[in-house]
Amino acid sequence: MATSIPANPTPQTVAALLPKLNDADSDFRFMSLNDLYTVLTTANKGFLLQDYNTSARAVDGILKTLDDQNGEVQNLAIKCLGPLVLKVPPTILPPLIEKLSNLTTEHSVDSSIPATALRSVVTTFPRPVPGIPPSKATEDAYSAISRVLIPRLVGYVVIPHGIKYLPDPPPGLLEINSSKGADGDAVDLLIEVVRCFGPMLRDPEVRALHKTVMDILQSDRTGSVVKKRAVVSMSVLASYFSDEVLSSFVSQLIESFRNPHLTLVKRRLFITILGSVARSIPRRFGPYLKVLAPFVLSAVSDEELADHMDHVAEDGEPNDQAEEVRESAFITLEGFLASCSAEMRAFTKECIHAALIFLKYDPNYNDVEADEEMEGVLDGDSGQDADEDFGDEEDFEEEGGFSDDDDLSWKVRRCAAKMLYTLIQTRASGDLLEDGTLYTQVAPALVDRFKEREDNVRLEILAAMASLVRKTGEGSLSLSSTNTEESHTTLMGPPQSRKRRRGGSDASMFDTQASISLATGLTSPPLPPAPVSGPGASLSELTPAIVRSVARLLRGSAIPSKQASLCLLRDLVATQHGGLSDYLGQLIDPLVDAIKAPSITSGGSAAANTAGGGGSATVTSLRIEALNLAAAIAETHRSEVLLPFLGKLLPGVLLAVADKFYRVSSEALNVIEQLAKVLTPPRSQSTDEKRQQYLDSIYDTIIDRVTANEADVEVRQCAIHALGVLLARASGPDGAELLSPQKRSNALDVLYDRLRNEVTRIAAVRAIDIVASLSSPKTGFSSTWVNNVSIELGAQLRKANRSLRGASLGALKNLVASPVGHANLDGKTVSDLVDVLSPLLTTTDLHLLGPTLVVLSILVKGNSKKVVNANMITSLCALVAAPLGGAVLDALLILTKTIGEEGMGKSLMQGLLKDVGVNGDPGVVGKVIGTLLVFGGNTVGVKIDDFVSELSSAQDDQRKCLALAVLGEAGLRLGTSSPLDPGLFTAHFKSKSDQVPLTAAVSLGRAGAGNISKFLPAILKAMDTNAASQYLLLHSTKEILQHAGNARTDIAPHSRQIWDKLIRISQAEDNRAVGAECIGRLAIVDAKTYLPSLQSYLSDENAGIRGMVIQAIRYTFVDSDDTYDEILKPILVGMLTTILTDVDLETRRLALTTLNSAVHNKPALILPHLSQLLPLVIEESEIKQDLIREVQMGPFKHSVDGGLELRKSAYETLFALMETGHSRINIVEFYDRVIAGLEDDHDIRVLCNLMLTKLITLDPEETVRRLDTIGERFRTILSFKPKETAVKQEVEKADEESKAVMNVTVQLNQRFPNAGGFNSSGQGQIWRSYWEWVRKDFSAQLKQVEEDAGIKSD
């Protein structure tokens, strides 16, 4: 049957299709329904609104097909109901719902069709949006549900809606049938009604639904499956309980728990309800836990366990119902701990005690010998006898385990372990880890239960222990072997320091030598000393027991347990940065066995892509995890410890390199890379025959993978990086003999060949970068190779791939900077490189500009005539005219200095004076000209005297400023040989210009930094004689102190005089900011003397002085060294605590900014004391009503929040603490402030959105628990519409907030795609509703955000 659907369907189109729904042929009925569905989805929204007759006929026709004998027809009929209810008149909706609710299927065996159809209708209706008045369509939909569906669910009219003499409705869909009990489909329908229209439900309706659900739950005729769905419905409905209904509900539960005749089945049910509701409404339900938690804890108490064991002893059979009660109790306690962590603190001891008791609860299995053996292990007995005992019981979970299908105690143990996992996750960032509770009570019990006979339980125990180990190590350095690709990326990235260190021109910020050396293992990773106290020390004491227990599991357990054990060991190594030196003998054999385990398929399985989880463990994922552990061990342990075991480990790794599955091969190459570091200097100094054989086999394997074109791209890239590491390690003076000249030459040629291959190019660039940076004259490169590689690297600078350009530029810099590379460059190559580098001399990409300037400064040496040409002079002049600063300006000054030293500065000086001059920033232009003037000497064509004359004769301010800047820079560069006098600069302090006095002051300071003995006394004297110039003289003093690094001995004789004058002068309000910086920098010069003085000023009565002092402390954080830190450490926290509790708002704000700076620059001094400082910061993030006042502005009143700036600083500090010290923060309390900030000022909301994007990764579990609250806040923000009279700034702020919210929404949905689905707790329903609302009402914005993020929409 072929039909043609018009582009704009009419009611007549629908009417023509309806008779075909009664056709005898099911295919015709199906195709007619399909056409009808197409019409309903493509037609305009109101095409049936005025045609009641056609709408009614369409409803009847579709309802009839719901009872069709063909299942496909029924499904399509349900699908048609969705678009139909959006097109028909509102008056049709009540009869439609009534007919559906009374529909009985006679021709279909599926009795759930009517309920499914009703759910489809309810979910299609337009839904209410919190914070926005409901639309007319939403009100019509709710009216139909309230008038018809809710009475049909409960069996009576709840709200009459003004209609009298209504007939009694038929028995409710939720009423309990005497034979079948309650209908599960009706419960699912109730869930959808509440989920979609909960915000509009009236209190009588909520009460009626609550009563009906409670009747279902309490009825003995209700099946277990239906009760589970009813529990979910209760948790969803609880979100709309009034305080009175919630209190009544809790009271009802309390009475039920106190009922002496309460059965075990109902007790389990009520406990399950508590957990579900707690997850659904944690904030409102939390206060009731003080009364309710003891009822749950009593189910897992010692008394009830003793009674149960007595009962089992008498009857000889376990009580399964009692086991189910305990299982539910632990699940509920886990929900309490996760959702209401603060309220459960009072029950911490009881929860831990119950979990530890039932963690070993196994009444059907008595393992006395194993218990005694484990006690010996925990006591430190590590003798050979224990090893033999472990070995005697091989395959313990297969042969020795007691397998009884009727035994449910394993579920209790599993839930107890999961509760401990949640306890560790929610409390290990605070008190329980620091006070030793987790390591004195929980950890030994977990290790003891590694012998658990049920694999599911053992996996939870291992996961809990691994979580505790990770929590112990949070905040420490991560292993490079666990994130190789990321480390590759950061090598060519921007400088890692947050602020540029003050001082002379320096390009060290572009020097990747140190980072590459660490990445290649040339500089062995720093290993922290063994902790003497705290969680780290406790973990060290427990390590022997962990290793022995895990070794037993690796020898005989199933694959999931083996994989989880390997994950635990890897976490242990990462946390302790080693720690397995004494235990490798126990681990190496099972580790090698895991690496060699044969894969079932060569391509691997889907589960292998998520290696690390026990639930998806396969042989392939086990091998990947074993290789990860091997790489971590090789990275963190000394060579002499590892060498005895390489004979066993290396063959297995080499075998894994050849595996056809790319994940296995890539991870094996990572291990090979780490082993190459183990075998080469400086980690291994000797080169005996055996080590040489190891290196030869590693070299051959790597070369084979690099040149294997059939290998996966990722495998070849990993092999190329490993080859680069091996060559680099063998390029130092001590490693020159490790590779023969032939092998070295062959490897370099392979790298050049891979460099010309587009697929492997970027990996080859990074490898060449590493090799070039560590090259030495003993292992020099051939001239042909250097020139070819340089040209090829230069060619990449023209490519569009920015990452490739940055990596190529970094590799080129290291290659030409190495003595071997620079010596082999020929003139043609230098000219070609200048041609490709010149286009980068623009401010378009500052990330590439700095390294480009450094490369050119290297090429100038010995090749000045080829490099310094007219095009470069023009480009450099254009750069100088641009506003530059920081590292780029320093690199420009290095190039300028080199050009001057090579005698090629005349043309550049002419260009600077003629083409730039006063057109650029005097500060930048003056530094460049001053540097060229000093280092170019007589070759530049001008002298200092020329600029002195220019200064005296110039009439306009720009020329004077330029001359002053040039003289100041020249004075700094010349040092004590400078002919300049202070009076030359101070004479311009009285200029009427706004720019000249300040430029003169800064130039005076720069010149004085080069000749302190001459300038500083004059500056100090002027402070006393000329009060009007004190502000300018402070700037001069600041410049001197900023450059005081190598001249501290010259400043020391004047330090006391400087200090006294700074304290006195800085008390003036205009001088405080610059004076505070001067005081802080002087404190660095002599910390022992001046830090105690600063501390004493914190008690000054003048709030301005207190604020100045705390600012001064902030300025010391950036440039100070370890010596300063030792002096600051004992007093810093006390100073911050004092000033954070100051009575003055501005002083507290300055204290927060100082704490923020300390967190970034001195985290080691702050993080150990977060327990003292964090509560003060959190307190300042709260809105204080007493600081909000009303101000009369004409006829209007305007609210002014005096604490807003303070809160902004508090949230900025919280953001810094989140990034630096997340592991030490109480995440529950912290998240509360983030959620609260979403309702605060615009700037705070923007910052909180940014914090949420970080928390998605830092703490995904807590983020999931907060999704409902986040969804509510986001809905409010997106629903806000600026008034028509709003100014432009308000509209822009609203748009910015909406974009930020949409961005976070997309990230949350991508990270937690299944959040809000049906589950046992009902948690996430609000988020699910919010997400569907966004997809519907903000589809265009959502699509744009997803496209910008590179996310493929559904």
Side-chain angles (χ1 to χ4, degrees):
M1 182 181 71
T3 59
S4 177
I5 305 299
N8 296 309
T10 63
Q12 287 72 25
T13 308
V14 176
L17 292 172
L18 294 178
K20 302 176 184 178
L21 298 180
N22 299 318
D23 196 283
D25 191 335
S26 62
D27 291 337
F28 277 80
R29 298 195 300 273
F30 179 86
M31 297 178 68
S32 299
L33 272 176
N34 188 57
D35 291 341
L36 180 59
Y37 177 76
T38 303
V39 169
L40 293 173
T41 53
T42 58
N44 67 75
K45 188 175 182 179
F47 88 116
L48 285 178
L49 287 179
Q50 306 302 323
D51 195 331
Y52 186 94
N53 184 40
T54 302
S55 299
R57 291 175 57 204
V59 168
D60 292 338
I62 293 176
L63 291 182
K64 184 176 181 182
T65 56
L66 288 175
D67 192 23
D68 198 281
Q69 295 179 350
N70 188 295
E72 293 182 355
V73 174
Q74 288 180 313
N75 293 335
L76 190 55
I78 294 174
K79 191 176 179 181
C80 288
L81 284 173
L84 176 67
V85 296
L86 298 177
K87 302 292 193 302
V88 298
T91 53
I92 290 279
L93 298 180
L96 168 62
I97 294 177
E98 183 179 7
K99 291 178 180 180
L100 276 175
S101 63
N102 292 320
L103 180 66
T104 57
T105 54
E106 298 177 356
H107 304 95
S108 173
V109 296
D110 188 357
S111 60
S112 66
I113 291 295
T116 304
L118 277 171
R119 288 204 305 274
S120 176
V121 169
V122 171
T123 55
T124 307
F125 279 149
R127 307 176 189 179
V129 177
I132 297 180
S135 63
K136 179 65 166 56
T138 304
E139 290 181 344
D140 292 337
Y142 166 70
S143 176
I145 289 175
S146 179
R147 291 171 56 188
V148 180
L149 187 53
I150 292 180
R152 283 294 290 118
L153 286 172
V154 300
Y156 58 91
V157 177
V158 180
I159 299 177
H161 293 280
I163 303 176
K164 298 182 179 180
Y165 311 114
L166 283 173
D168 293 334
L173 298 175
L174 292 172
E175 288 187 8
I176 302 170
N177 189 288
S178 59
S179 58
K180 298 181 180 180
D183 184 4
D185 295 324
V187 176
D188 288 337
L189 175 60
L190 168 63
I191 293 174
E192 288 297 338
V193 169
V194 177
R195 188 173 66 85
C196 297
F197 290 90
M200 297 185 71
L201 292 178
R202 302 179 188 178
D203 188 63
E205 293 171 329
V206 173
R207 291 175 181 269
L209 293 175
H210 168 238
K211 180 180 180 301
T212 302
V213 174
M214 285 300 295
D215 291 341
I216 293 174
L217 290 170
Q218 292 180 337
S219 173
D220 295 332
R221 294 195 299 271
T222 304
S224 59
V225 176
V226 176
K227 284 188 176 181
K228 289 181 180 180
R229 304 303 302 149
V231 170
V232 175
S233 69
M234 181 64 74
S235 66
V236 176
L237 188 62
S239 300
Y240 307 102
F241 282 175
S242 63
D243 293 340
E244 182 181 353
V245 173
L246 179 59
S247 177
S248 174
F249 168 62
V250 172
S251 298
Q252 185 178 1
L253 289 177
I254 293 174
E255 291 179 3
S256 299
F257 278 118
R258 290 175 176 170
N259 185 355
H261 303 292
L262 181 66
T263 63
L264 290 175
V265 174
K266 287 191 174 182
R267 186 182 186 187
R268 177 197 178 196
L269 176 64
F270 294 142
I271 289 175
T272 304
I273 293 173
L274 290 180
S276 182
V277 174
R279 290 183 174 92
S280 178
I281 51 171
R283 281 183 169 274
R284 297 180 61 200
F285 196 71
Y288 294 102
L289 291 185
K290 184 177 180 181
V291 179
L292 293 174
F295 292 116
V296 183
L297 287 167
S298 65
V300 289
S301 63
D302 293 342
E303 294 79 7
E304 293 209 8
L305 178 60
D307 293 341
H308 172 74
M309 298 307 295
D310 292 340
H311 172 75
V312 172
E314 292 177 2
D315 296 350
E317 295 182 359
N319 188 337
D320 291 345
Q321 292 182 352
E323 307 290 16
E324 292 175 348
V325 170
R326 296 187 185 96
E327 178 190 4
S328 299
F330 278 117
I331 293 174
T332 298
L333 288 174
E334 181 190 357
F336 288 170
L337 291 170
S339 305
C340 310
S341 178
E343 290 81 3
M344 285 298 292
R345 285 179 177 268
F347 303 99
T348 300
K349 291 183 179 180
E350 292 85 348
C351 290
I352 293 177
H353 177 74
L356 297 183
I357 290 296
F358 284 94
L359 190 66
K360 57 185 179 182
Y361 170 69
D362 196 355
N364 293 335
Y365 185 69
N366 187 12
D367 191 11
V368 178
E369 294 180 0
D371 289 340
E372 293 175 353
E373 175 190 303
M374 185 57 67
E375 288 175 6
V377 172
L378 294 176
D379 290 339
D381 179 13
S382 58
Q384 183 66 26
D385 292 341
D387 276 334
E388 294 175 357
D389 291 340
F390 270 63
D392 290 341
E393 200 176 342
E394 59 184 13
D395 297 334
F396 64 95
E397 95 286 340
E398 295 179 4
E399 297 181 3
F402 182 87
S403 179
D404 186 357
D405 295 337
D406 296 329
D407 178 25
L408 299 180
S409 63
W410 68 272
K411 293 184 177 181
V412 179
R413 299 195 300 277
R414 183 185 63 177
C415 292
K418 294 177 72 172
M419 194 199 81
L420 287 176
Y421 176 87
T422 302
L423 182 72
I424 292 169
Q425 287 290 313
T426 56
R427 298 288 299 279
S429 298
D431 53 335
L432 294 186
L433 184 62
E434 297 298 331
D435 65 13
T437 301
L438 293 178
Y439 272 108
T440 57
Q441 299 182 33
V442 177
L446 289 173
V447 176
D448 178 50
R449 292 305 303 172
F450 284 2
K451 64 179 182 288
E452 168 64 46
R453 62 191 178 91
E454 289 289 341
D455 203 50
N456 288 333
V457 182
R458 192 186 312 118
L459 289 176
E460 297 296 341
I461 294 171
L462 289 167
M465 190 64 217
S467 175
L468 178 56
V469 172
R470 288 193 298 271
K471 287 290 183 181
T472 305
E474 280 184 353
S476 60
L477 296 174
S478 61
L479 300 178
S480 62
S481 61
T482 60
N483 200 1
T484 306
E485 182 60 31
E486 185 175 321
S487 66
H488 296 175
T489 304
T490 57
L491 290 180
M492 300 306 135
Q496 297 300 310
S497 58
R498 288 181 172 83
K499 293 192 177 180
R500 180 175 63 93
R501 297 294 188 258
R502 293 281 187 170
S505 297
D506 183 15
S508 61
M509 62 289 301
F510 299 110
D511 183 12
T512 56
Q513 179 79 24
S515 62
I516 292 178
S517 298
L518 182 60
T520 59
L522 185 60
T523 303
S524 295
L527 300 180
V532 295
S533 62
S538 300
L539 179 59
S540 298
E541 294 175 1
L542 195 63
T543 298
I546 295 175
V547 173
R548 292 176 60 79
S549 300
V550 166
R552 181 188 183 191
L553 292 176
L554 291 175
R555 285 198 299 267
S557 60
I559 289 178
S561 291
K562 287 183 179 180
Q563 182 167 313
S565 300
L566 293 172
C567 290
L568 173 58
L569 287 176
R570 179 166 51 84
D571 292 333
L572 193 65
V573 172
T575 298
Q576 297 183 321
H577 293 277
L580 299 183
S581 300
D582 299 332
Y583 317 107
L584 290 180
Q586 303 176 44
L587 298 173
I588 197 67
D589 288 335
L591 178 61
V592 171
D593 290 341
I595 293 174
K596 292 182 177 180
S599 300
I600 296 176
T601 60
S602 59
S605 63
N609 295 328
T610 56
S616 59
T618 62
V619 174
T620 303
S621 63
L622 176 66
R623 298 183 70 192
I624 293 173
E625 196 58 49
L627 290 166
N628 282 333
L629 174 60
I633 291 174
E635 180 182 359
T636 56
H637 291 76
R638 300 189 308 276
S639 295
E640 55 267 26
V641 174
L642 295 170
L643 286 174
F645 304 102
L646 290 187
K648 295 181 178 179
L649 179 61
L650 186 58
V653 177
L654 295 178
L655 180 65
V657 171
D659 195 273
K660 293 183 179 181
F661 183 42
Y662 77 99
R663 286 286 306 278
V664 175
S665 183
S666 300
E667 295 298 339
L669 284 166
N670 186 28
V671 181
I672 288 292
E673 179 181 320
Q674 298 300 329
L675 293 179
K677 300 174 186 179
V678 172
L679 293 167
T680 51
R683 289 181 64 179
S684 178
Q685 297 295 337
S686 61
T687 55
D688 53 38
E689 183 179 352
K690 182 175 292 186
R691 299 189 191 193
Q692 190 63 48
Q693 291 176 357
Y694 292 154
L695 280 175
D696 290 341
S697 60
I698 288 175
Y699 173 85
D700 294 338
T701 300
I702 293 176
I703 290 293
D704 176 69
R705 289 291 89 190
V706 172
T707 57
N709 293 325
E710 75 278 3
D712 190 89
V713 174
E714 182 177 333
V715 174
R716 282 184 284 166
Q717 290 175 344
C718 291
I720 290 170
H721 187 269
L723 180 60
V725 170
L726 180 60
L727 284 174
R729 291 293 296 242
S731 297
D734 298 329
E737 306 300 328
L738 295 178
L739 291 179
S740 65
Q742 181 180 358
K743 286 186 175 181
R744 188 183 306 278
S745 176
N746 180 49
L748 291 174
D749 291 340
V750 168
L751 284 181
Y752 174 58
D753 181 66
R754 297 295 93 183
L755 177 63
R756 293 184 297 171
N757 187 308
E758 186 174 358
V759 176
T760 57
R761 179 171 291 146
I762 192 165
V765 167
R766 289 166 175 159
I768 291 171
D769 190 1
I770 298 172
V771 175
S773 65
L774 303 178
S775 61
S776 67
K778 287 186 178 182
T779 56
F781 311 126
S782 67
S783 177
T784 303
W785 188 86
V786 170
N787 288 283
N788 289 340
V789 169
S790 298
I791 294 298
E792 191 67 30
L793 289 174
Q796 308 314 312
L797 301 179
R798 296 191 177 102
K799 299 296 178 63
N801 188 330
R802 188 170 182 270
S803 176
L804 176 61
R805 296 205 319 264
S808 300
L809 187 57
L812 181 62
K813 182 190 77 67
N814 282 328
L815 183 59
V816 301
S818 66
V820 180
H822 189 268
N824 284 304
L825 287 174
D826 57 31
K828 182 179 183 303
T829 301
V830 171
S831 299
D832 292 343
L833 289 178
V834 172
D835 291 340
V836 297
L837 289 170
S838 295
L840 300 180
L841 294 176
T842 66
T843 56
T844 305
D845 194 338
L846 294 178
H847 176 60
L848 298 179
L849 176 58
T852 300
L853 293 169
V854 175
V855 173
L856 288 173
S857 67
I858 298 171
L859 293 176
V860 167
K861 297 178 181 179
N863 304 283
S864 56
K865 293 184 179 180
K866 293 183 176 64
V867 177
V868 184
N869 52 37
N871 290 334
M872 175 175 284
I873 297 298
T874 303
S875 300
L876 290 179
C877 289
L879 275 182
V880 175
L884 301 177
V888 174
L889 178 57
D890 289 343
L892 177 60
L893 293 178
I894 286 180
L895 176 58
T896 305
K897 173 185 174 182
T898 308
I899 292 174
E901 291 174 338
E902 293 291 318
M904 299 294 294
K906 185 174 182 179
S907 56
L908 177 58
M909 179 65 78
Q910 291 175 350
L912 291 172
L913 295 176
K914 180 181 178 181
D915 300 333
V916 183
V918 297
N919 296 324
D921 181 3
V924 176
V925 180
K927 287 181 179 181
V928 175
I929 294 178
T931 301
L932 186 61
L933 181 66
V934 172
F935 292 100
N938 297 328
T939 63
V940 297
V942 292
K943 300 179 180 179
I944 289 182
D945 294 339
D946 296 331
F947 289 97
V948 174
S949 300
E950 177 73 10
L951 177 61
S952 60
S953 62
Q955 299 298 320
D956 61 294
D957 295 340
Q958 288 293 328
R959 293 183 182 278
K960 288 183 178 180
C961 289
L962 179 59
L964 286 167
V966 171
L967 293 172
E969 189 68 21
L972 174 65
R973 302 289 181 178
L974 288 172
T976 55
S977 61
S978 171
L980 304 176
D981 293 320
L984 181 67
F985 301 96
T986 56
H988 297 274
F989 279 11
K990 296 181 180 180
S991 174
K992 295 181 180 180
S993 169
D994 294 335
Q995 300 177 354
V996 173
L998 186 58
T999 303
V1002 174
S1003 300
L1004 173 63
R1006 294 186 70 82
N1011 195 352
I1012 291 176
S1013 60
K1014 181 178 180 180
F1015 278 72
L1016 186 56
I1019 293 174
L1020 295 176
K1021 183 178 180 181
M1023 286 184 179
D1024 293 329
T1025 60
N1026 192 351
S1029 301
Q1030 288 177 349
Y1031 175 77
L1032 297 173
L1033 293 170
L1034 283 175
H1035 279 277
S1036 302
T1037 306
K1038 182 184 73 172
E1039 289 294 326
I1040 292 176
L1041 292 173
Q1042 283 177 347
H1043 296 83
N1046 298 323
R1048 293 189 178 186
T1049 55
D1050 297 330
I1051 293 178
H1054 308 279
S1055 62
R1056 173 51 64 179
Q1057 187 180 4
I1058 299 174
W1059 178 266
D1060 294 337
K1061 293 182 183 298
L1062 289 177
I1063 293 295
R1064 175 173 55 83
I1065 296 173
S1066 300
Q1067 294 186 24
E1069 185 173 354
D1070 293 340
N1071 298 341
R1072 282 177 187 167
V1074 63
E1077 184 172 357
C1078 292
I1079 292 171
R1081 297 192 178 280
L1082 182 59
I1084 298 175
V1085 175
D1086 190 356
K1088 289 185 178 179
T1089 302
Y1090 298 121
L1091 272 181
S1093 299
L1094 283 177
Q1095 186 178 17
S1096 64
Y1097 279 109
L1098 291 178
S1099 58
D1100 194 283
E1101 295 181 356
N1102 189 335
I1105 294 179
R1106 299 196 302 271
M1108 178 193 66
V1109 169
I1110 203 66
Q1111 287 186 83
I1113 296 173
R1114 184 184 69 194
Y1115 285 115
T1116 68
F1117 294 148
V1118 180
D1119 295 330
S1120 53
D1121 52 20
D1122 294 338
T1123 304
Y1124 176 82
D1125 291 352
E1126 291 300 321
I1127 302 172
L1128 180 64
K1129 184 177 181 179
I1131 63 175
L1132 177 60
V1133 175
M1135 296 170 71
L1136 289 172
T1137 304
T1138 300
I1139 209 71
L1140 282 170
T1141 55
D1142 198 279
V1143 295
D1144 183 68
L1145 288 179
E1146 179 63 16
T1147 303
R1148 296 207 302 273
R1149 188 189 68 80
L1150 293 173
L1152 287 169
T1153 59
T1154 301
L1155 175 58
N1156 193 344
S1157 178
V1159 170
H1160 281 101
N1161 297 285
K1162 306 289 182 183
L1165 304 183
I1166 296 297
L1167 297 184
H1169 305 280
L1170 272 189
S1171 58
Q1172 297 174 248
L1173 298 171
L1174 186 59
L1176 301 176
V1177 180
I1178 288 179
E1179 182 181 357
E1180 298 299 347
S1181 68
E1182 298 174 356
I1183 298 177
K1184 296 180 175 59
Q1185 296 297 329
D1186 57 320
L1187 298 179
I1188 300 177
R1189 65 185 189 279
E1190 284 191 349
V1191 178
Q1192 191 76 29
M1193 299 182 67
F1196 305 103
K1197 290 184 178 180
H1198 179 65
S1199 295
V1200 177
D1201 189 348
L1204 178 58
E1205 295 301 321
L1206 187 62
R1207 290 203 307 281
K1208 289 181 182 178
S1209 297
Y1211 272 100
E1212 290 170 356
T1213 306
L1214 287 175
F1215 183 81
L1217 290 171
M1218 177 194 67
E1219 288 189 305
T1220 310
H1222 172 261
S1223 61
R1224 298 173 182 266
I1225 292 176
N1226 183 337
I1227 190 60
V1228 176
E1229 188 178 19
F1230 183 87
Y1231 230 122
D1232 287 341
R1233 298 317 308 154
V1234 175
I1235 298 298
L1238 294 174
E1239 299 178 305
D1240 211 313
D1241 181 74
H1242 165 78
D1243 293 336
I1244 295 177
R1245 287 200 292 267
V1246 171
L1247 189 58
C1248 288
N1249 279 320
L1250 185 58
M1251 294 166 77
L1252 283 175
T1253 62
K1254 303 285 186 180
L1255 288 167
I1256 292 173
T1257 303
L1258 291 175
D1259 203 321
E1261 295 183 349
E1262 184 65 24
T1263 302
V1264 169
R1265 289 191 282 269
R1266 302 286 184 145
L1267 281 178
D1268 283 345
T1269 311
I1270 293 172
E1272 291 176 346
R1273 304 297 188 274
F1274 280 3
R1275 192 190 288 264
T1276 302
I1277 295 173
L1278 292 178
S1279 301
F1280 173 76
K1281 303 297 180 185
K1283 299 179 181 178
E1284 295 182 359
T1285 57
V1287 297
K1288 180 180 179 182
Q1289 289 83 352
E1290 293 178 348
V1291 176
E1292 290 176 349
K1293 284 183 178 181
D1295 291 341
E1296 182 183 359
E1297 289 179 10
S1298 297
K1299 291 178 181 178
V1301 166
M1302 292 295 293
N1303 182 45
V1304 181
T1305 299
V1306 169
Q1307 292 187 47
L1308 287 168
N1309 182 71
Q1310 185 184 21
R1311 181 66 176 81
F1312 313 110
N1314 299 320
F1318 286 115
N1319 51 58
S1320 59
S1321 66
Q1323 187 179 18
Q1325 298 299 321
I1326 296 177
W1327 170 261
R1328 180 183 176 188
S1329 173
Y1330 162 74
W1331 171 249
E1332 292 177 354
W1333 173 69
V1334 168
R1335 292 183 61 184
K1336 179 180 179 182
D1337 292 6
F1338 297 86
S1339 56
Q1341 298 95 313
L1342 183 65
K1343 182 179 180 180
Q1344 182 62 47
V1345 172
E1346 289 178 336
E1347 289 178 355
D1348 293 342
I1351 301 173
K1352 188 176 181 180
S1353 58
D1354 297 338

